[in-house]
Amino acid sequence: MADVIQQIDEVVEQAKADLSAVKNADQLEQFRIKYLGTKGAIKNLMKLVGQASKEDKPKVGQRANAASSEVNEAFEAKKAELASSAARVPAEDVTEPGKPLQIGRPHILTQVTDELTELFGRMGFTVAAGPEVEDEFHNFIALNIPKSHPARDPLDNFYLQPATGEGVTSGASKGGEEHLQLLRTQTSTVQIRVMETQKPPIRVVIPGRVYRPDTVDATHLFMFHQLEALVVDKNVTMVDLKSTILQFVHAYFGPTTKVRFRPSFFPFTEPSAEVDVWFEDKQRWIELGGCGMVHPNVFKAVGVDPEIYSGWAFGFGIERIAMRKYAIDDIRHFVENDVRFLSQF
Ligand code: DAH
C-alpha cells in the first residue's frame, strides 16, 4: 500500500511543479488536460483505488481524493492569478504602430520674441530686462513725465497702493511719491535701469510685459508685450534710428514692406515719431509704436552728460508685430489658450 500512497504523492508533487511553471492560458490548458482531463493523471489515480485490496481501499481512496482536490484547488488559484494579471494588460495588439505623441511648443508670442531678439542680436544688440513691479521714478519721473501728466492718472495705471493726498502713502513712506509702486505701463522703464548700471556705449533691446487698465477688445488687452530698444553713444543721430528701424522692418516683414514715420510726442524723446507698417491683407497701416531721440532730461536723471552723448529709443508692441507678421485678426487669441489657434504656429 505504501507504494500506492507514494505514487499518489509523486503525482501531486509533479503537478505542483508543472503548475508553478505555467505562464499563460495556453500552458494552463495543457496542464488541465495532463492532470485533470478525462485521461489525465488524477483520473488515473482513481484507477489505482479500484485496484487496491479491500482493506487498503478506504485509505488509498481518501488519499486519492485529497490529491484530486489539492491539484484542483491549485489549478483554480493559478487560473485566478492569470486572469487578474491579464486584466492589467490592455487587450491591444502590441504590434500596431504607437499613437503619435502630442508635443508642445513655445507660445507664438515667445516664438516672435525670440525671432526679434535674435534679429536685433545680429544687429549688435544685447537683451536686457527689468522688474514688472516698478516705482514712479522709473516709470515716470526719470522718463520726464511730470506729476501733472495725464499718463499718471490712477485710472490709467495699476498702482499697488492707494494714493493719499499728494501721492505720499503710508505704504510708501520710504521716500514719497518716487517710491509709489505700480505695474509698469511701458518697457521704457528698463532704459532707465540699464543707464543706471551701464556706461555708454549702450545698445540693448528689452522685451517684456506691460500693464494698462484698458477694456479688452480685438486690439486691446490689459497686459501685453513691448520690445524696447535703446542706443546711447557719441554722435548718434536720427538717421541711425530711422535706418535701424527700416532694416528691422525689411528683414522681419519682407524687403518690400512699406514703412511710415509720423511726427509725434513722447515726454522722454525729442524729436519723437510713430512708426506704421503697411498691412497688405487688410489694406491699412498698422502702428508698431513710438520712437525718438532720447530727451536730455532723461540723460540727466541717470547721470549721463547730454553734451557728450546722444541716443535713440523705440518701444513697439510685440502683439502688433505678431499680428502683422502672421495675419492674426484679434489680440485676444494670444491669451485664450485655444489649442486650435496655438497649434497653428
Ligand atoms: N513707451 C511708449 C509707449 O508705451 C513707447 C515709446 C515711444 C517707447 C517712444 C520709446 C520711445 O522708447 O522712444 O507708448
Side-chain angles (χ1 to χ4, degrees):
M1 183 186 79
D3 279 3
V4 182
I5 298 290
Q6 198 189 341
Q7 213 176 324
I8 294 172
D9 287 348
E10 276 168 11
V11 169
V12 173
E13 209 63 13
Q14 187 60 46
K16 283 184 176 169
D18 283 1
L19 194 60
S20 70
V22 165
K23 293 273 181 299
N24 56 42
D26 281 349
Q27 291 171 359
L28 188 68
E29 179 60 7
Q30 293 305 314
F31 175 89
R32 193 191 63 77
I33 292 164
K34 183 172 172 190
Y35 288 97
L36 305 172
T38 44
K39 294 189 179 112
I42 296 294
K43 275 270 142 47
N44 285 339
L45 290 184
M46 296 308 161
K47 280 186 204 147
L48 295 177
V49 180
Q51 289 159 11
S53 67
K54 204 167 180 191
E55 57 271 27
D56 287 347
K57 212 169 246 171
K59 270 235 154 83
V60 175
Q62 217 176 28
R63 186 68 198 104
N65 278 333
S68 171
S69 37
E70 211 175 319
V71 174
N72 266 298
E73 273 164 30
F75 169 80
E76 290 301 332
K78 188 74 181 187
K79 194 164 141 186
E81 183 194 315
L82 287 179
S84 78
S85 63
R88 288 198 298 272
V89 178
E92 267 179 37
D93 180 353
V94 293
T95 63
E96 274 184 10
K99 297 193 181 91
L101 284 178
Q102 290 273 5
I103 296 179
R105 67 195 83 193
H107 189 278
I108 175 61
L109 284 177
T110 306
Q111 291 184 40
V112 168
T113 303
D114 290 348
E115 288 165 9
L116 296 173
T117 52
E118 197 268 339
L119 200 161
F120 278 97
R122 280 188 271 139
M123 295 200 265
F125 288 78
T126 55
V127 177
E132 290 173 30
V133 173
E134 263 297 4
D135 52 41
E136 291 200 296
F137 177 76
H138 292 89
N139 203 83
F140 298 124
I141 296 164
L143 287 165
N144 197 32
I145 303 175
K147 182 104 203 87
S148 57
H149 197 280
R152 293 174 69 165
D153 192 307
L155 290 176
D156 293 325
N157 295 281
F158 289 112
Y159 283 99
L160 300 189
Q161 300 105 339
T164 59
E166 287 305 293
V168 181
T169 71
S170 51
S173 52
K174 267 206 308 195
E177 64 177 54
E178 297 196 1
H179 295 280
L180 206 58
Q181 286 189 312
L182 74 160
L183 298 180
R184 70 180 178 199
T185 57
Q186 49 189 355
T187 44
S188 307
T189 54
V190 190
Q191 290 188 29
I192 303 304
R193 293 201 172 266
V194 167
M195 288 189 285
E196 280 172 336
T197 53
Q198 263 173 258
K199 293 268 156 279
I202 289 170
R203 201 171 170 83
V204 291
V205 281
I206 303 135
R209 294 193 191 100
V210 298
Y211 302 83
R212 292 177 196 178
D214 283 331
T215 303
V216 172
D217 62 26
T219 52
H220 293 88
L221 295 173
F222 46 79
M223 184 280 289
F224 58 100
H225 297 76
Q226 289 185 329
L227 182 78
E228 191 86 13
L230 174 68
V231 171
V232 183
D233 205 345
K234 290 172 182 155
N235 306 316
V236 170
T237 70
M238 192 104 185
V239 175
D240 303 318
L241 163 63
K242 206 173 164 184
S243 67
T244 307
I245 290 176
L246 279 175
Q247 214 179 336
F248 153 64
V249 169
H250 290 154
Y252 195 66
F253 297 113
T256 58
T257 309
K258 281 189 271 180
V259 191
R260 177 171 84 173
F261 290 80
R262 279 179 293 116
S264 187
F265 173 82
F266 298 100
F268 34 89
T269 44
E270 180 59 35
S272 306
E274 267 163 307
V275 182
D276 302 334
V277 290
W278 180 248
F279 199 164
E280 193 63 40
D281 297 3
K282 296 266 170 268
Q283 289 291 301
R284 65 180 174 83
W285 293 98
I286 289 208
E287 186 192 313
L288 289 189
C291 65
M293 300 305 293
V294 178
H295 196 288
N297 287 351
V298 173
F299 280 144
K300 282 178 202 156
V302 290
V304 171
D305 187 346
E307 298 297 328
I308 301 173
Y309 292 104
S310 56
W312 60 257
F314 70 66
F316 293 161
I318 295 183
E319 280 82 353
R320 291 278 176 87
I321 293 173
M323 288 167 86
R324 167 64 178 75
K325 171 96 173 174
Y326 295 104
I328 296 164
D329 59 358
D330 193 317
I331 197 170
R332 288 169 290 199
H333 287 314
F334 292 117
V335 290
E336 279 166 348
N337 255 352
D338 186 332
V339 177
R340 291 169 301 179
F341 169 76
L342 296 174
S343 63
Q344 292 178 50
F345 306 101

